[in-house]
């Protein structure tokens, strides 16, 4: 018997029993009232427990199994089938639980009994999803289905109560079906705040045009994997007042020219985080240039076509000065080179000195980073809140870095919150510690050092120096040939044997 019905039955039995035995005694009637109150309290606790239990679901199978046993069957490989649609009287138990569901979300329960794809259309053939899930506010449709035959059912879930929506485009899908869903969003899901669209397979035959005029509350838009998005859609999104997070893929045919001269004080006025996967860096610059938000914190960019110094400088100049985290990565291709014109000097990255709130700087595989001590020292003074710095050339770069251990000293002095350093150094010469002394308290947080393929001379001297400026180094990473790696492992072994050296 269902728990709520059981509580009602217990309440009725208690009242009838005490009333029959009371024979008009006022004290017995008080007992009846007290027991009724206790039963109601128990029922309230039970309802709260059931609400919590069913609020978030990671599969539809537990609900299906609340239907009468004759409607569903479990076949081989733990696959759940529906044999027929439920009749009107058979929905009762399902309804009691389904009305409590507010979210279908990850993590998807892969070990749970799997619902066969044909079951979903059968389940909703008699009743709409909104009538079955009246409290639903968050839906990741891939939890229910990734099959093209069920994809259009998303439209029946759209309602003003829905604030979070995520779905995966099936491998075989009609472009018109996707367009209809996108057109329905501003008409049906008028309070949508978070929208995530992804694809397991390339979808390159058409563009997603996302209408936004009816989505005034949209705060997060993620369009990932191999999905193309039009430049006009970007302009539509840029006009929204509350968008705070944006993740897009920009394919080779993305027309950045459409965005030029469109930036103004009202484009992306609230954006905080942007993640772009692009064909080339100028595409990213065209989008970043639209951002008028004074609260932009996190910029992450990955691109395919290797960019020259002037292109990188233009991009860094466009991100503004409020950023706390910047990640810039070139996806290595078969024709990626580490030689000119892809050798980058400090002037390429000077726009970053204006970003005084930087916590994280990650630069990967742009070419060869020919930086020097002066750049790192100026950066350390500018980025006093820095926590993570990773400046990485291509693995096959042959230029010996001009960054010495002096730069490491500056980072420990001026960046007290620093936890991770990832740099190629020239550690063949051991500098003297600052004349005015070095407080080891300044480097208490620094625990991870990646020296990549740094050149090294006397290992014990380097270990003593590192112990003096980085007293709490837990991990030393090396990305080099075996002989060089072994020398750095000697440094770490000697470092671990040393006690803190008084400075």
């Amino acid at each position: 018997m269902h728990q709520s019905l059981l509580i009602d039955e217990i309440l009725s039995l208690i009242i009838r029993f005490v009333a029959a035995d009371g024979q008009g005694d006022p004290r017995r009637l008080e007992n009846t009232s007290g027991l009724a109150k206790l039963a109601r309290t128990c029922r309230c606790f039970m309802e709260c427990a059931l609400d919590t239990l069913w609020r978030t679901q990671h599969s539809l199978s537990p609900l299906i199994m609340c239907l009468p046993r004759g409607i569903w069957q479990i076949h081989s490989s733990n696959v759940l089938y529906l044999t027929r649609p439920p009749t009107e009287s058979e929905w009762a138990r399902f309804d009691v639980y389904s009305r409590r569901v507010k979210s279908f979300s990850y993590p998807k329960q892969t070990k749970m009994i799997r619902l066969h794809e044909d079951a979903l259309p059968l389940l909703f053939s008699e009743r709409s999803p909104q009538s079955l899930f009246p409290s639903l506010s968050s839906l990741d449709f891939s939890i229910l289905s990734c099959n093209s035959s069920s994809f259009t059912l998303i439209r029946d879930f759209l309602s003003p109560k829905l604030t979070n929506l995520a779905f995966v485009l099936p491998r075989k899908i009609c472009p018109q079906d996707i367009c209809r869903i996108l057109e329905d969003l501003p008409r049906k899901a008028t309070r949508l705040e978070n929208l995530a669209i992804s694809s397991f397979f390339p979808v390159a035959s058409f563009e997603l045009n996302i209408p936004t005029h009816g989505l005034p509350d949209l705060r997060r838009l993620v369009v990932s994997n191999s999905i193309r998005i039009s430049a006009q859609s970007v302009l539509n999104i840029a006009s929204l007042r509350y968008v705070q997070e944006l993740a897009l893929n920009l394919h080779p045919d993305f027309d950045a020219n459409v965005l030029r001269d469109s930036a103004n004080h009202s484009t992306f006025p609230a954006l905080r985080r942007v993640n772009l996967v692009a064909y080339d860096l100028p595409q990213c610059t065209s989008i970043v240039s639209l951002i008028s938000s004074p609260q932009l914190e996190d910029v992450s960019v990955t691109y395919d076509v290797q960019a020259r110094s002037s292109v990188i400088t233009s991009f860094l100049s466009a991100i503004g000065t409020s950023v706390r985290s910047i990640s810039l990565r070139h996806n290595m291709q078969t024709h990626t080179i580490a030689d000119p014109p892809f050798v980058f000097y400090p002037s390429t990255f000077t726009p970053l000195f204006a970003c005084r709130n930087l916590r994280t700087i990650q630069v990967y595989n742009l070419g060869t980073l020919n930086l020097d001590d002066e750049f790192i020292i100026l950066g350390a003074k500018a980025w006093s809140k820095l926590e993570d710095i990773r400046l990485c050339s291509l693995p096959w770069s042959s230029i010996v870095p001009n960054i010495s251990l002096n730069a490491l000293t500056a980072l420990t002095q001026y960046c007290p919150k620093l936890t991770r350093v990832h740099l190629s150094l020239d550690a063949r010469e051991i500098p003297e510690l600052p004349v005015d002394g070095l407080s080891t308290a300044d480097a208490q947080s620094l625990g991870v050092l990646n020296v990549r393929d740094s050149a090294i001379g006397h290992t014990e001297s380097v270990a003593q120096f590192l112990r003096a400026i980085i007293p709490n180094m837990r991990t030393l990473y090396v990305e080099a040939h075996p002989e060089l790696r072994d020398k750095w492992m000697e440094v770490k072994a000697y470092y671990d044997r040393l006690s803190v050296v008084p400075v």
Side-chain angles (χ1 to χ4, degrees):
M1 184 180 293
H2 172 249
Q3 289 94 328
S4 297
L5 300 178
L6 181 61
I7 291 292
D8 290 337
E9 187 67 21
I10 292 173
L11 172 61
S12 176
L13 287 172
I14 290 174
I15 293 174
R16 288 202 302 270
F17 174 79
V18 177
D21 188 51
Q23 300 177 352
D25 188 336
R27 289 173 300 175
R28 295 294 182 90
L29 292 177
E30 288 177 6
N31 289 340
T32 303
S33 176
L35 288 171
K37 184 177 180 181
L38 176 63
R40 285 195 296 271
T41 302
C42 291
R43 186 171 190 270
C44 181
F45 278 120
M46 179 66 74
E47 288 294 313
C48 291
L50 289 172
D51 285 343
T52 302
L53 179 66
W54 289 94
R55 179 181 295 124
T56 300
Q57 292 298 302
H58 309 298
S59 170
L60 196 55
S61 297
L63 278 166
I64 298 292
M65 295 171 71
C66 291
L67 293 168
R69 187 65 176 85
I71 297 177
W72 53 271
Q73 296 177 356
I74 299 176
H75 290 200
S76 58
S77 303
N78 269 356
V79 178
L80 180 65
Y81 287 78
L82 278 183
T83 58
R84 60 175 175 82
T87 62
E88 185 174 350
S89 61
E90 292 172 327
W91 284 106
R93 192 170 177 227
F94 186 101
D95 284 341
V96 168
Y97 297 123
S98 67
R99 65 180 173 82
R100 306 173 193 272
V101 177
K102 294 186 176 181
S103 173
F104 284 105
S105 67
Y106 267 84
K108 190 173 183 177
Q109 296 298 318
T110 55
K111 295 182 179 180
M112 190 176 289
I113 296 173
R114 183 171 61 87
L115 187 65
H116 191 269
E117 293 292 349
D118 293 342
L120 209 59
L122 199 59
L123 180 69
F124 298 127
S125 62
E126 300 295 328
R127 292 182 60 184
S128 70
Q130 290 187 46
S131 68
L132 294 176
F133 303 103
S135 302
L136 191 67
S137 62
S138 182
L139 171 64
D140 188 332
F141 193 74
S142 62
I143 294 293
L144 307 184
S145 175
C146 291
N147 192 280
S148 56
S149 62
S150 304
F151 181 73
T152 56
L153 287 172
I154 294 177
R155 300 174 66 189
D156 299 325
F157 281 88
L158 301 180
S159 77
K161 291 185 179 180
L162 198 65
T163 58
N164 304 301
L165 175 64
F167 58 86
V168 176
L169 298 182
R171 184 172 187 175
K172 296 178 180 179
I173 185 65
C174 174
Q176 286 73 24
D177 288 338
I178 299 177
C179 292
R180 292 189 190 100
I181 291 173
L182 294 176
E183 289 169 358
D184 278 350
L185 287 179
R187 292 194 297 106
K188 295 181 177 180
T190 54
R191 297 180 182 176
L192 197 64
E193 296 180 6
N194 301 292
L195 175 62
I197 308 172
S198 57
S199 172
F200 293 134
F201 306 97
V203 179
S205 59
F206 64 97
E207 288 184 327
L208 289 180
N209 289 292
I210 301 176
T212 55
H213 58 275
L215 300 174
D217 297 323
L218 193 66
R219 283 163 167 75
R220 178 176 178 267
L221 175 64
V222 177
V223 181
S224 57
N225 293 334
S226 302
I227 302 171
R228 297 164 59 200
I229 187 167
S230 67
Q232 184 58 51
S233 287
V234 173
L235 287 178
N236 292 343
I237 299 160
S239 65
L240 294 177
R241 295 176 57 191
Y242 302 116
V243 171
Q244 298 178 8
E245 182 176 346
L246 183 67
L248 300 176
N249 265 302
L250 309 177
H251 286 246
D253 55 357
F254 180 85
D255 188 2
N257 292 323
V258 173
L259 306 184
R260 299 194 199 285
D261 302 321
S262 298
N264 57 61
H265 67 279
S266 61
T267 51
F268 289 122
L271 198 63
R272 290 178 176 269
R273 292 171 292 278
V274 59
N275 187 322
L276 302 175
V277 178
Y279 172 69
D280 61 31
L281 193 57
Q283 292 176 331
C284 302
T285 305
S286 68
I287 290 182
V288 171
S289 298
L290 292 175
I291 301 173
S292 64
S293 170
Q295 300 173 323
L296 184 63
E297 297 178 354
D298 189 343
V299 177
S300 179
V301 165
T302 304
Y303 59 93
D304 294 336
V305 177
Q306 206 168 2
R308 294 174 180 251
S309 176
S310 59
V311 176
I312 294 172
T313 302
S314 296
F315 171 78
L316 295 177
S317 299
I319 64 174
T321 60
S322 62
V323 292
R324 297 184 178 188
S325 175
I326 174 71
S327 177
L328 188 61
R329 181 189 294 269
H330 163 60
N331 289 325
M332 291 187 290
Q333 313 291 316
T334 55
H335 51 274
T336 296
I337 62 174
D339 302 319
F342 303 111
V343 176
F344 304 102
Y345 298 93
S347 59
T348 304
F349 304 98
T350 50
L352 289 176
F353 290 153
C355 303
R356 298 288 179 166
N357 293 318
L358 272 176
R359 269 76 164 173
T360 300
I361 305 173
Q362 298 180 0
V363 177
Y364 293 102
N365 304 328
L366 309 189
T368 295
L369 305 184
N370 195 5
L371 306 178
D372 55 24
D373 283 354
E374 182 182 5
F375 173 81
I376 299 297
I377 293 170
L378 289 174
K381 292 178 178 179
W383 310 319
S384 60
K385 300 175 182 178
L386 193 64
E387 299 173 6
D388 186 339
I389 180 170
R390 310 183 196 190
L391 302 176
C392 305
S393 298
L394 287 166
W396 55 86
S397 176
S398 59
I399 294 180
V400 177
N402 291 318
I403 301 175
S404 72
L405 292 171
N406 278 319
L408 205 54
T409 303
L411 288 170
T412 59
Q413 277 186 301
Y414 298 111
C415 306
K417 296 182 179 180
L418 193 63
T419 61
R420 178 185 289 266
V421 173
H422 194 153
L423 288 173
S424 288
L425 306 164
D426 185 349
R428 291 175 295 184
E429 294 185 10
I430 311 300
E432 294 183 4
L433 293 174
V435 176
D436 56 351
L438 179 67
S439 171
T440 56
D442 291 340
Q444 290 296 323
S445 300
L446 183 52
V448 179
L449 176 63
N450 188 325
V451 295
R452 304 204 76 201
D453 55 351
S454 297
I456 186 173
H458 192 264
T459 56
E460 290 188 5
S461 299
V462 173
Q464 291 171 349
F465 184 84
L466 292 179
R467 172 61 84 173
I469 65 169
I470 312 174
N472 295 321
M473 181 176 67
R474 302 184 310 276
T475 308
L476 177 66
Y477 291 107
V478 187
E479 302 169 13
H481 57 80
E483 182 180 351
L484 185 56
R485 184 185 65 238
D486 290 345
K487 294 192 72 173
W488 278 104
M489 289 300 97
E490 289 177 19
V491 170
K492 183 61 168 66
Y494 191 77
Y495 174 98
D496 291 338
R497 292 196 298 268
L498 289 171
S499 58
V500 176
V501 179
V503 179

